[in-house]
């Protein structure tokens, strides 16, 4: 059914169609509308057979999800930014225990300074937690990925994060095709847990494991991720049969067949990149786009196959590994190891800064001309940065260091604002 709807509401209605039995809720911008809508549906009776649990923190939200999943319930929660950091210990526990929890991450920057807008620093902080991570380009993709996420999580007994851009997607109203309950039921069978806590047959979970077994446990989680590389495309194909549209999968390409320059990215910015590529194609530039849907597990072989004919690769990522630069680009470099093509890391959109077609045109042309630095910060205000660096050099000479640095950071933030 086609419907003009907010992204968060579309996700909430889709999650409800997946028949969750426990929804754990702690509100944090910009995911709040999702759990609010689910709470309304439980209270009104639209969503039956589900217990909606308000908890006191994000750590509690994941802890309750772990308990619910361990006892055989289909469990769901949502979070963002500092909320994901607060539940980090429990996030690792969920994957270590092999519990098929599904969680929406409404991607948002991590402070300080406090910032509520979109980038990927929250999800990237948990990239090695053992959770599968799927990134949505559009709200249609976001709701479709949630349906596939429950199936994927429960088949492999691993948790899944569905990442959607905070505000850019969560608060955007657009037309989506909402599935029917019959379609979801045809695709997603009732949850049959691999492991089940039963008071009649008590066992311990999450007990201490020594050096003699810890490595094997971690490897088994890795092995299930490798299984997911095969299962994700299969589930996407089955999804198309039931719902009639392509969605999900590991990667998707756009105008890459003869491309000399291929831009790699994730999430909603892919739409802007594709528009820019269309405009540059009209001017004769051979450029294409590779979108990554599955960041964890990372599809090394597919990425290599998509990029091996290109002359250069530009990885545009909305996150920064301070002290080294790229995060997604490191995985891409691993995929193209030995191909001897120049690769560029472009950090863009941090804290929700706009990524415009004008800036992308200039960026991609520089890459074609070989004028792009290996690590580039798109639209960085170098005047502000250089003035601050000059102040800090002066501070180191004059002291007191801590007071002056804190004061100057506040000055930079206020000037930018």
């Amino acid at each position: 059914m086609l419907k003009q709807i907010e992204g968060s509401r579309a996700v909430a209605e889709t999650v409800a169609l997946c028949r969750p039995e426990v929804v754990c809720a702690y509100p944090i911008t910009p995911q709040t509308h999702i759990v609010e809508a689910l709470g309304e549906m439980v209270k009104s009776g639209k969503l039956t057979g589900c217990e909606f649990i308000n908890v006191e923190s994000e750590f509690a939200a994941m802890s309750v999800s772990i308990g619910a999943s361990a006892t055989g319930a289909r469990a769901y929660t949502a979070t963002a930014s500092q909320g994901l950091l607060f539940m980090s210990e429990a996030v690792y526990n969920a994957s270590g225990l092999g519990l098929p929890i599904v969680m929406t991450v409404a991607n948002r920057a991590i402070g300080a300074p406090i910032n509520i807008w979109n980038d990927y620093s929250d999800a990237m902080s948990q990239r090695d937690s053992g959770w599968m991570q799927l990134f949505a380009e559009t709200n249609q993709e976001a709701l479709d990925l949630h349906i596939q996420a429950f199936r994927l999580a429960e088949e492999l007994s691993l948790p899944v994060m569905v990442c959607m851009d905070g505000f850019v997607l969560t608060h955007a109203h657009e037309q989506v095709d909402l599935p029917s309950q019959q379609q979801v039921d045809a695709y997603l069978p009732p949850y049959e847990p691999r492991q089940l806590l039963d008071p009649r047959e008590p066992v311990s979970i999450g007990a201490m494991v020594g050096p003699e077994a810890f490595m094997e446990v971690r490897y088994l989680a890795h092995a299930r991720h490798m299984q997911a590389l095969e299962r994700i495309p299969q589930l996407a194909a089955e999804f198309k049969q039931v719902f009639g549209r392509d969605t999900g999968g590991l990667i998707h390409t756009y105008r890459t067949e003869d491309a000399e320059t291929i831009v790699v990215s994730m999430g909603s910015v892919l739409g802007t990149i594709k528009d820019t590529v269309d405009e540059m194609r009209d001017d004769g530039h051979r450029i294409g786009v590779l979108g990554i849907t599955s960041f964890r597990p990372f599809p090394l072989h597919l990425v290599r196959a998509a990029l091996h004919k290109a002359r250069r690769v530009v990885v545009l990522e909305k996150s920064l590994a301070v002290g080294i630069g790229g995060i997604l680009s490191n995985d891409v470099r691993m995929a193209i190891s030995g191909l001897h093509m120049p690769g560029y890391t472009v950090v863009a959109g941090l804290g929700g800064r706009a990524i415009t077609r004008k800036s992308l045109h200039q960026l991609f042309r520089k890459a074609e001309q070989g004028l792009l630095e290996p690590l580039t910060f798109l639209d960085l205000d170098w005047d502000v940065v250089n003035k601050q660096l000059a102040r800090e050099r002066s501070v180191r000479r004059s002291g007191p260091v801590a007071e002056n640095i804190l004061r100057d950071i506040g000055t930079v933030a206020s000037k930018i604002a």
Side-chain angles (χ1 to χ4, degrees), residues 175-198:
Q175 184 173 269
V176 298
D177 188 355
L178 281 170
S180 68
Q181 187 67 69
Q182 290 74 21
Q183 285 177 309
V184 176
D185 288 345
Y187 181 82
L188 178 64
Y191 175 35
E192 295 183 5
R194 287 191 187 183
Q195 52 187 344
L196 181 64
L197 284 179
D198 186 342

Side-chain angles (χ1 to χ4, degrees), residues 88-199:
S88 180
E89 179 185 349
V91 165
Y92 273 77
N93 286 340
S95 59
L97 293 170
L99 297 173
I101 300 162
V102 172
M103 174 168 63
T104 307
V105 176
N107 294 114
R108 168 187 152 185
I110 292 174
I114 293 171
N115 180 292
I116 65 170
W117 291 274
N118 166 250
D119 66 30
Y120 294 155
S121 51
D122 51 4
M124 295 298 104
S125 76
Q126 305 300 308
R127 65 188 180 275
D128 300 324
S129 65
W131 284 60
M132 292 179 276
Q133 293 187 346
L134 307 177
F135 280 76
E137 178 182 344
T138 64
N139 279 330
Q140 183 68 64
E141 206 169 271
L143 70 89
D144 291 344
L145 285 175
H146 278 83
I147 303 169
Q148 294 173 61
F150 279 103
R151 177 94 178 265
L152 178 66
E154 291 167 11
E155 285 193 9
L156 296 179
S157 201
L158 277 177
V160 180
M161 294 180 196
V162 180
C163 301
M164 59 186 299
D165 289 6
F167 294 109
V168 181
L169 294 183
T170 58
H171 288 57
H173 287 72
E174 60 184 0
Q175 184 173 269
V176 298
D177 188 355
L178 281 170
S180 68
Q181 187 67 69
Q182 290 74 21
Q183 285 177 309
V184 176
D185 288 345
Y187 181 82
L188 178 64
Y191 175 35
E192 295 183 5
R194 287 191 187 183
Q195 52 187 344
L196 181 64
L197 284 179
D198 186 342

